[in-house]
Amino acid sequence: MTLSALILIPFFGGLLCWLSERLGAGVPRWIALITMSLVLAIGVNLWLTGDYSSVAGTGGLNWQVEEQYSWIPLLGVSIHFGIDGLSLVMVLLTGLLGVVAVGCSWKEINKNVGAFHMNLLWSLAGVLGVFLALDMMLFFFFWEMMLIPVYFLIALWGSSAHNGAVRVKAATKFFIYTQVGGLVMLVGILALVVVNYKATGQITFAYETLLNTHKLMSQELQFILMLCFFIGFAVKLPIVPVHAWLPDAHAEAPTAGSVDLAGILLKTAGYGMLRFTLPFFPDASQEFANTAMLLGVFGIFYGAFLAFVQTDIKRLIAYTSISHMGFVLIGIYSGNLLTLQGLAIQMLAHGLCAGGLFILAGQLYERLGTRDMREMGGLWARFTYLPPLLMFFAAALLGIPGTANFIGEFLILLGAFKVVPVLTIIATASLVLAGVYSLILIHRTLFGQPTSEQKLAELSAREISLVVSLAVILLVIGFYPQPLLNVSVDAMTFIQQTYAPADVSVPLPIGGAASPVAP
Amino acid sequence: MNFLYLTFLFPAIGFLLLATLRTRLSENLAAVIGVGSIGLSALTTVYVGIDFLNNVEQGGKYVQTLWTWMHVGDFNASFGLHLDGLSLTMLGVITGVGFFIHLFASWYMRGEAGYERFFSYMNLFVASMVLLVLGDNLGLLYLGWEGVGLCSYLLIGFYYSDRANGEAAIKAFTVTRVGDVFMAIGIFIIFQQLGTLDIQQILVLAPQKWSEGDPMVVAASLMLLGGAVGKSAQLPLQTWLADAMAGPTPVSALIHAATMVTAGVYLIARTHTVFELAPDVLLLVGVVGAITLLIAGFSALVQTDIKRVLAYSTMSQIGYMFLALGVGAWDAAIFHLMTHAFFKALLFLSAGAVIIACHHEQNIFKMGGLWKKIPFVYACFLVGGGALAAFPFLTVGFFSKDAILLQAYASGHTNLFWAGLVGAFFTSIYTFRLIFIVFHGEEKTHAHSIHGFSYWLPLGVLLVLSTFVGSFIHQPLEGVLPAFTSATLEESKHFVEILAIATGLIGLAFAFVFFWGERRIAKSISESGLGRLLSPVLRDGCGFDWLYNWLFVKPYLFIAAINRHDAIAKLFDLIPSLAKLGNSAMSVTENGRVRWYATSIALGAVLVLGAVLVLQVTFTH
């Protein structure tokens, strides 16, 4: 029941929030907080009770908890959940950022508080479903389910800076992009099931059965289906050139929406690529690897240049996300244990770091009434605690060692260098640009003559504790990432073994001098 | 030795206390925490050092593994500390000189806004720097490496209200990060080739894996050199150091003179085996040092800001260390690193005292005749400057620079030797130029005298260390770094010594003629055609800023500007526009006129029939 509970708790919690609004605006907030804390607690409990590195080396699947209920037997669809190290890392991130998202909306959201929290919790429930589903139909159900509440979060509770039309447009853009991506992926899922049915006469959406389907189809078909999955996830990650929804959505979303989007929703795409694209279509992915990594490197630079010129602080952070997602692609498609393990840390770190930055941007907006950095400046003088915290997260953003971000990027680059040295060198050079966009954020907001001598309202204990807890976690992972690496090791070993770069006999054309990686 | 970890833990705790308590601390309490943590760290270093020297045999080491940092597959990096003669020397300089600079800073910064913020950064810096020199693997070294870079950024931009300081800080961080990228690539190459990042294992494995001049070892050492020149402000990544003087003066003393900028020297010495396998790259290290020391020496001649003179002299002195590394004079390089830390810290702190005495004036031509007002600072400046110019026998700088010049000569790299000698000549001129202009001649400002225990104690200690007394400090480098060997070492000793002394004295004489009193000759030169042409170029660091501006900054801004509206995103916005266009085109057809509908039905019928006909014909054939 544990895994179903992980999804049902936020679902019913959300319902309760909505119903309880008439008792007062504070009630839904507390219910949401308790709900997400419960989710986090269950996640931590799963971590403490499970053994996620027990099959290390064998490369087998390691579901620590598994649940299955009948749903549509006729189509071979069942409600099937399972959790391994990779899922667990994502569940922990969701639980943590869920608590943070509720916390940072405490004062920001004042209209329809109940409905807001219902949407927030339902989107989180959808995300948790995505991370736990082991049935492709179930997975797709959750994949679509998590979008709708986010649409409402942006359209109804978004930025009040412009008139409502702007935020509705941003929400619609977000919705259409991800819907189209989802549709393409649905085609891929159905085709995969049909191929399996034709070959074996058994109709099923079960993850573990479909893992073997790639042996039953031609190379061309495998490549096309792989592309279907890839496009579906690429829109969500997002990868340049299909990234256009992200800056708009972030700029218009409420703080909790941005935290939710950057911290958790984007991670479903990285998770999906690791869980589905690579193991379902190992050969086609291998064939596609260079293209994907080129896209990744292009995205890193594209996002970095655009981040630099933004004047809206939330758009700047959004573009840095796009830049960081390039590292995710490189990590996935280099596909050795170092990059994959680095990826687990990187996705976590990016979620926490972007979350922290968006919260700080929200706090600035609450106090200054603008997100335009040209109207900021000299903020060192006007706050006590906000500037050092902003400085910390900017340092984490540029990957300063001692933070989790460094561990992720370092492992990804260290591992990728064995596979694609030239591309890795180019990607490493982007660290300079990361420094520039992070520091320009600091420069524009904190440096210069203060626009006014007046002190701004200091951060409250609630606000400080939210951001500081994120910072502390980033630091702890930065200095002692091993416990987390031990959690994801089995899941990542499995993915690495199925992807099996060791079998690549032809050297990759990009930077071909490298020797193939030992398994 | 078990307490080794305390050397970085104390400053780290100091940082955390200062950063969290912030404005709740009084100035005095902040100073006690900020200075005290470094003091405790220095005491620990003394204790550990004595223990180490008594209990570990020569060339030995002590390793303290604290925890497993990252372990993925066959990659294993521990959070481990490695103490040997080299890191002990560095540790002593960092905590020892660092403590006195902190003490001085507690006086210098008094009354400034952000007093506790200043000390929190300084403590974080010392913690990072200690990790840099104690880290037993390249990953941990990189952690300290980037950490000190961040602290350098924070401290250069300490006076935040002037955006120019922020820009100088970004420049420093970005330029050194270019070096860091090279270093990261070097680390990747080493890991890919040797399968480990543990420094001691690398030193053992490198000669087994690579033969001399192997392309991979050349690449790896080149990349490491790239990191070193970035951090140590050597050509071609030297441009940030002069601007870094925007930070408070104790910062310039600690970070941009005594410790952080010597990290590149430490890195090369630490990985010396790798460099020895790539002799061409090692020679390049020496050449880079020689060119830098000459260029920086020229630039220092025409600076008008007291701190910028010292900044260029720092570049130039680190150039000497690189030169020494390049000719294989490992011990001499580290010796000069230590003595430089003493006398340059002394000079910067004295400069700070001068600046305070002159009410925050930094232009040397607005000072003058200060020796009567602040005689103690004058004495400090004389000794420090003497050491910088390698004044014979009385100063510590003479012994270390003489060792470098001697070994450069004996190693057979005579070009490098002559470059070093010419550099020494210029060092002597610009040093005494500075002293003559600032302390002699007519008084131009009303300077006030200064007092305070935390002001004279650090200066006094550094003053003593900068005299010949400092040369008695023995560095336990035997067995850690390869000893310098040359057949001609003994016979060339007197020749080089006499030449070096003569050069220094001639330089002093030149400075006297040019810059004493009215400075008529110097003025006439600077007002001549050539002087007008050259001095602005030299003052701005020989045009490197201009070049990099055109090569990198402007193209970067250009690319960023042309795509500021995200062209790819705009491209996708065309799709809804197209849909709207189609919509309006189609709605034209729905105009409600019966004639139009009849015509379109008829035309449509003809079109469909025609199509059917064409298909029929093509398929029957």
Side-chain angles (χ1 to χ4, degrees), chain A residues 173 177 240-244 247 298 302 304-306 308-311 319 337-338 341 376-378 380-381 383-385 388 391 395 398-402 406-407 410-411 413-414 417-418 424-425 428-429 431-437 439-440 442-450 478-482 485 514-515, chain B residues 16 19-24 67-75 79 117 121 131 138-139 142-144 146-147 149-150 153-154 157-167 169-170 173-174 177-178 180-181 184-185 187-189 191-192 197 216 555-557 559-561 563-570 572-573:
Chain A
K173 200 171 180 179
Y177 263 87
V240 180
V242 286
H243 64 282
F298 179 72
Y302 194 85
F305 271 105
L306 267 161
F308 176 76
V309 288
Q310 299 306 313
T311 50
Y319 276 110
L337 196 56
L338 272 171
Q341 286 281 59
M376 298 180 191
W380 273 120
F383 287 106
T384 310
Y385 289 101
M391 186 65 231
L398 65 82
I400 211 78
F406 168 73
I407 305 286
F410 185 71
L411 288 178
L413 292 171
L414 194 66
F417 188 80
K418 292 181 164 188
T424 308
I425 288 172
T428 311
L431 294 181
V432 176
L433 302 188
V436 174
Y437 65 61
L439 296 184
I440 210 74
I442 294 298
H443 188 72
R444 289 184 187 148
T445 51
L446 303 187
F447 279 86
Q449 284 292 342
F479 280 100
Y480 192 38
Q482 202 53 44
L485 291 170
S515 49
Chain B
L16 285 178
T20 48
L21 296 175
R22 305 267 296 161
T23 42
R24 281 176 221 171
W67 62 80
T68 301
W69 193 23
M70 295 178 257
H71 180 184
V72 178
D74 53 357
F75 170 64
F79 206 96
R117 190 161 66 89
Y121 296 160
L131 275 182
L138 287 177
Y142 191 76
L143 183 145
E146 289 261 281
L150 180 70
Y153 163 83
L154 291 169
F158 179 75
Y159 298 119
Y160 55 83
S161 55
D162 187 354
R163 279 199 190 266
N165 295 339
E167 279 152 23
I170 291 181
F173 190 84
T174 308
R177 201 143 217 247
V178 172
D180 296 358
V181 165
I185 295 169
I187 291 176
F188 300 154
I189 296 176
F191 178 68
Q192 192 241 3
L197 289 184
M216 289 323 277
Y556 174 79
L557 294 176
I559 294 173
N563 194 33
R564 74 178 312 131
H565 297 297
D566 197 344
I568 294 181
K570 286 278 172 295
F572 277 81
D573 288 349

Side-chain angles (χ1 to χ4, degrees), chain A residues 184 222-232 277 281 284 288:
Chain A
V184 176
Q222 196 189 136
F223 195 82
I224 293 169
L225 296 191
M226 183 278 300
L227 270 187
C228 288
F229 273 75
F230 179 79
I231 291 170
T277 317
F281 316 105
F288 186 63

